[in-house]
Amino acid sequence: MMETTMDILPDLDNRYEIQGEQVQEFERNGHVQTLDLLNEQEITVYQRVISSAVNRFNDEKRSLAERDTYGKAFLQIMNLWRVDESVKKFVLAKRFAYIAAKLLGVENVRLYHDQALFKEPGGGPTPWHQDQNYWPLAANKTITMWMPLVDIPNPDMGMLTFASGSHREGAVSDLVISDESEDAFEQYVRQHRFPLVRPAALKAGDATWHNGFTIHNAPGNEGQRMREVMTIIYYADGTRIAPPQHSFQENDLKTWLGNKAPGSLADSDLNPLLL
């Protein structure tokens, strides 16, 4: 019998042990790093798998000059786990889900969705924002894994930057990623004097994790190659759906939560339990 792609994909269900200090750091700052989360063999295989899927499903044909601020920030391809069996193995990996649950202090987590964020050479900055502004979820137990699939040797390739401790304030603004959000959050971050923290460098297979309310941004990509990043968003099992507050949350309710009624459990077929 011919060997299939799924047969040779590295298994990612073993645990990566999180230390108590890392949990405390996440609770205090709203973000933390995990180094060498994937080894060299694993990241080599999954980089190829995810990059191939991005190339197949990316429908952005405009040049950078033709796009708005959001469009210049990155190529964004979401829910690849629903259309590619190899990417699905990565997105549903228990290794990642265990870390998410440990950092959130819960027994189990559900998948919200994945998204590949590929910032092209010359691509623009990602404005300040809070992820959870998009999510109609009645909880603060949410977390995003941000994993580079290629080495990011310096911040100028588009390194994620955090306003450390900003998650403790909860929702700050309804502004979504835009020039307006950049201006409003920049003023807010300065007023509250949140320390700005970002890794000096990350290797492919390292990852950062941040709370859904942690304010963050990223500079443009001044490097010569694509900044390839894969993200996975998780939330605590038992989370309920909040009434949508604006059109972006209404769209998320339909797209990622099965259009379930506000007040009901966020447990649609699109949001599997992962542990």
Side-chain angles (χ1 to χ4, degrees):
M1 179 181 295
M2 288 185 61
E3 192 172 44
T4 66
T5 303
M6 287 296 293
D7 291 329
I8 61 175
L9 287 175
D11 182 82
L12 301 179
D13 283 345
N14 60 311
R15 288 189 175 186
Y16 175 104
E17 292 301 329
I18 288 290
Q19 304 303 313
E21 294 85 355
Q22 290 173 294
V23 175
Q24 293 169 12
E25 181 181 348
F26 178 78
E27 292 174 348
R28 180 175 62 253
N29 297 332
H31 59 91
V32 73
Q33 294 181 49
T34 50
L35 304 181
D36 300 313
L37 186 49
L38 294 189
N39 64 34
E40 186 175 350
Q41 178 201 11
E42 292 166 341
I43 191 61
T44 297
V45 172
Y46 281 105
Q47 182 277 335
R48 187 165 57 246
V49 162
I50 296 169
S51 181
S52 174
V54 167
N55 288 336
R56 293 198 313 275
F57 292 101
N58 172 42
D59 58 5
E60 178 58 82
K61 307 302 181 187
R62 297 172 298 170
S63 69
L64 281 168
E66 295 176 295
R67 304 179 210 165
D68 61 10
T69 297
Y70 191 103
K72 287 184 174 75
F74 39 61
L75 301 174
Q76 182 180 38
I77 300 90
M78 298 186 281
N79 252 23
L80 284 171
W81 79 278
R82 299 282 291 179
V83 295
D84 187 293
E85 286 296 315
S86 297
V87 178
K88 180 178 180 179
K89 187 166 184 177
F90 179 94
V91 173
L92 302 188
K94 294 185 185 302
R95 185 185 305 177
F96 306 150
Y98 170 75
I99 295 171
K102 190 80 171 178
L103 291 174
L104 290 176
V106 300
E107 291 296 317
N108 210 335
V109 291
R110 290 184 179 271
L111 174 68
Y112 191 48
H113 63 79
D114 66 68
Q115 52 183 357
L117 300 174
F118 281 31
K119 191 183 288 285
E120 299 146 285
T126 306
W128 285 116
H129 65 283
Q130 291 177 301
D131 293 342
Q132 197 158 335
N133 181 35
Y134 287 90
W135 310 338
L137 294 173
N140 59 5
K141 295 286 188 179
T142 61
I143 190 169
T144 297
M145 181 187 80
W146 192 91
M147 177 180 285
L149 306 178
V150 298
D151 292 346
I152 303 180
N154 58 70
D156 291 339
M157 195 172 162
M159 186 71 77
L160 208 59
T161 304
F162 305 102
S164 201
S166 57
H167 65 299
R168 294 193 294 268
E169 304 297 324
V172 171
S173 169
D174 283 342
L175 289 173
V176 294
I177 298 175
S178 61
D179 294 331
E180 290 76 18
S181 76
E182 174 67 17
D183 293 341
F185 279 109
E186 174 70 19
Q187 182 177 0
Y188 180 85
V189 167
R190 286 180 179 274
Q191 286 175 343
H192 288 75
R193 299 187 178 182
F194 296 116
L196 303 186
V197 178
R198 63 185 178 193
L202 288 174
K203 294 190 308 181
D206 294 341
T208 63
W209 302 75
H210 62 271
N211 183 282
F213 285 122
T214 301
I215 300 170
H216 58 285
N217 70 2
N221 181 4
E222 297 181 12
Q224 299 302 308
R225 68 170 301 180
M226 185 83 77
R227 188 215 68 183
E228 300 181 16
V229 166
M230 186 64 171
T231 70
I232 307 174
I233 303 165
Y234 307 88
Y235 58 84
D237 182 34
T239 295
R240 294 188 179 274
I241 295 173
Q245 299 301 303
H246 48 70
S247 62
F248 292 95
Q249 290 190 2
E250 290 173 358
N251 181 70
D252 263 35
L253 179 60
K254 296 174 184 176
T255 305
W256 313 123
L257 294 165
N259 209 24
K260 296 192 67 180
S264 62
L265 286 170
D267 62 354
S268 82
D269 292 341
L270 296 171
N271 315 112
L273 273 176
L274 298 178
L275 296 173

